[in-house]
Amino acid sequence: MKKDTILILDFGSQYTQLIARRVRELKVFSVIEPYNISLAKIKAINPKGIILSGGPHSVYEKKAPQLKEGILKLGVPVLGICYGMQIMVQTLGGVVKESRKREYGRALMYIDERKDLFLSLKPKITSWMSHTDKVARLPKGFKKLSHTLNTDYASIGNAQLKLYGVQFHPEVMHTELGTRIISNFLFRICSCAPTWQLEDFVAAQIKQIRKTVANSNVICGLSGGVDSSTLSVLLHKAIGKRLKCIFVNNGLLRKGEVQEVKKVFRGHFKMDLHYVDASKLFLSKLKGVTDPEKKRKIIGREFIRIFEAEEHKIRNAGFLAQGTLYPDVIESVSLFGGPSATIKSHHNVGGLPKDMKLKLIEPFNQLFKDEVRQIAKILGLPQSVIGRHPFPGPGLGVRILGEITPKRLEILREADVIFIDILKKRGLYDKVWQAFCVLLPVKSVGVMGDQRTYENILAVRAVTSVDGMTADWAKLPAQVLGEISNDIINKVRGVNRVTYDISSKPPATIEWE
């Protein structure tokens, strides 16, 4: 069955990916493309509807992203969100001006027409606003659908042309009944069918992988994280022993991680797992290095060198599989010229050797993290893998500030186990996006057993997030924080002080390095 698709045009909003996720949660497939996509490519995608994202610009700025008028003449329903609404208004001859009073955060919105986009909604709802401009005059054929005390045109529509605009953000959880509004656009206005199912995706990918690979072997780097683990199991179901997994121990893994990976993938799934213990080599290369960027480069360079050496031992290898996710692709498109602000570059996208002879397989490059977790469940991976928190490629190397030594690694590993075990015991592990310890390059004075100590300070970090692009510090109960601090200080030699990181992203990042 051909799936219905919603095309999201990105004008630079921090919420663009969230729009795509909300659409997929309603079982309709979505894709994100830059706002300046060609009409020919839009026609090739053949979307049932188009959503114009928000953005940081004002439509009347000289270098503001513009909307091709032809997009509004395709006969496809369009929903403009925030900037997307304003650029649609301007493109069709309406007027957008700077507002005397800016509107940020929650605003009570009064619905003037409770049909189509606002069918089955209450007369007034709480909406999430983020704008400094407002629509001053509507294009011909449009009418007001809702308003706030500050914004006359909080939403507008032309039912005949199926063109709609909302000044607020229905995709964020702060907007009351926001999912219902998106649902009305998808099903009432665009006539989409809720047919996007990951079970179908898995079956289609297994069939496609078999066809693509034929009789060649496929190499996959396995780290034990949810992305590479799910990818490995999917490939194994498709091609069995022709999958060759390489697991490199860089000496920067967490306590018991090597044993766990071997147990799950060699033991349970019976995979051909090539294990390389390069821990001593990595630590020797990192000796004396304190600069975080240098540490990352050393770890990355040595990993590629070791991976390539192991790869050359495998005969009949024709493909390299990577667990690249859709956010990696979107952010890297941004890095190379797209409208969204670049947050980071990704080793999975654009970082492969130019002379690589292996062909690339990326089954997950149109999926979000939560979708990969659902696939992991479909494929029967253990919960310990499915629910595992994200773990950085450089491992504990970016959680030890300053020089990485065997002793400092041991301190961090022991503290991290205590922290995670307490979160699991208290039912908090699955309620946070990511939790870990950071060993600081400073010491403090303490007292233990009437003796003066001068030992390490450890920071504890736990955040809540939807996709890792933004995050807030987790409000862990004071009693639990006390238990964490007490257990770490009492059980881990070398730590006499524990602090809790209460920084959000932005302005901080989730990891410290």
Side-chain angles (χ1 to χ4, degrees), residues 418-431 476-484 487:
I418 291 170
F419 179 31
I420 298 303
D421 282 351
I422 290 174
L423 289 181
K424 289 179 177 178
K425 184 171 62 176
R426 300 301 174 201
L428 295 168
Y429 182 81
D430 292 330
K431 294 181 180 179
L476 299 181
Q479 186 178 352
V480 175
L481 288 173
E483 182 183 1
I484 291 164
D487 274 21

Side-chain angles (χ1 to χ4, degrees), residues 1-6 22-30 46 48 186-187 190-204 367 371 374 378:
M1 180 188 294
K2 188 181 184 301
K3 60 181 180 291
D4 289 340
T5 299
I6 292 293
R22 291 289 178 261
V23 172
R24 292 194 188 185
E25 285 168 4
L26 292 165
K27 298 192 181 299
V28 177
F29 188 66
S30 61
N46 191 27
K48 292 279 284 189
L186 299 182
F187 303 122
C190 299
S191 301
C192 289
T195 56
W196 169 241
Q197 296 187 76
L198 289 172
E199 288 84 357
D200 295 337
F201 173 86
V202 169
L367 299 184
E371 291 176 315
Q374 291 176 51
I378 292 168

Side-chain angles (χ1 to χ4, degrees), residues 385-425:
V385 175
I386 295 172
R388 185 187 183 200
H389 289 178
F391 189 59
L396 299 181
V398 293
R399 294 178 180 175
I400 292 178
L401 276 57
E403 185 180 6
I404 300 169
T405 66
K407 183 178 179 181
R408 301 191 79 206
L409 277 165
E410 183 64 21
I411 290 171
L412 185 58
R413 284 193 181 104
E414 294 300 324
D416 199 66
V417 167
I418 291 170
F419 179 31
I420 298 303
D421 282 351
I422 290 174
L423 289 181
K424 289 179 177 178
K425 184 171 62 176

Side-chain angles (χ1 to χ4, degrees), residues 16 37 66 83 100 118 140 181 205 230 295 310 324 328 353 408 443 470 478:
T16 299
I37 183 177
Q66 297 300 306
Y83 182 92
R100 289 183 181 179
F118 296 124
K140 185 179 178 180
I181 296 167
Q205 282 297 322
T230 307
K295 286 194 286 187
E310 194 66 23
T324 308
D328 301 341
R408 301 191 79 206
K443 293 185 175 183
T470 61

Side-chain angles (χ1 to χ4, degrees), residues 120-194:
S120 302
L121 265 69
K122 299 182 296 184
K124 53 185 178 181
I125 62 171
T126 300
S127 63
W128 184 261
M129 295 284 187
S130 179
H131 65 103
T132 58
D133 300 324
K134 67 178 182 179
V135 173
R137 189 180 74 226
L138 294 179
K140 185 179 178 180
F142 279 77
K143 63 180 177 179
K144 177 169 66 173
L145 302 181
S146 70
H147 68 278
T148 70
L149 295 180
N150 182 56
T151 305
D152 289 337
Y153 301 115
S155 58
I156 60 174
N158 183 323
Q160 185 178 355
L161 298 178
K162 294 189 176 181
L163 302 179
Y164 295 86
V166 294
Q167 187 59 71
F168 60 96
H169 288 273
E171 70 274 22
V172 303
M173 62 181 180
H174 309 298
T175 292
E176 189 180 4
L177 301 176
T179 300
R180 177 79 59 81
I181 296 167
I182 295 172
S183 175
N184 283 340
F185 177 69
L186 299 182
F187 303 122
R188 294 197 59 81
I189 296 168
C190 299
S191 301
C192 289

Side-chain angles (χ1 to χ4, degrees), residues 288-400:
V289 179
T290 58
D291 180 80
E293 195 58 28
K294 286 183 179 178
K295 286 194 286 187
R296 280 182 173 272
K297 287 180 178 178
I298 290 169
I299 294 166
R301 183 181 67 238
E302 291 305 312
F303 178 84
I304 290 173
R305 193 179 66 78
I306 292 166
F307 191 90
E308 286 182 335
E310 194 66 23
E311 167 197 312
H312 291 146
K313 298 176 186 177
I314 298 171
R315 295 181 179 180
N316 193 33
F319 296 85
L320 173 67
Q322 287 197 146
T324 308
L325 301 185
Y326 201 28
D328 301 341
V329 176
I330 295 165
E331 288 180 9
S332 295
V333 167
S334 168
L335 178 66
F336 301 118
S340 291
T342 299
I343 296 172
K344 58 183 175 178
S345 58
H346 292 272
H347 65 277
N348 276 353
V349 183
L352 296 170
K354 291 181 180 179
D355 59 351
M356 187 181 78
K357 295 178 181 178
L358 299 177
K359 295 177 182 177
L360 199 58
I361 295 179
E362 297 176 303
F364 300 154
N365 65 1
Q366 286 195 311
L367 299 184
F368 292 100
K369 188 82 166 185
D370 57 335
E371 291 176 315
V372 173
R373 291 192 195 278
Q374 291 176 51
I375 288 175
K377 191 175 292 186
I378 292 168
L379 294 172
L381 272 80
Q383 184 57 37
S384 60
V385 175
I386 295 172
R388 185 187 183 200
H389 289 178
F391 189 59
L396 299 181
V398 293
R399 294 178 180 175
I400 292 178

Side-chain angles (χ1 to χ4, degrees), residues 50-67:
I50 297 172
I51 297 178
L52 313 177
S53 85
H57 300 277
S58 291
V59 296
Y60 45 77
E61 292 173 357
K62 285 186 178 180
K63 294 185 178 180
Q66 297 300 306
L67 174 65

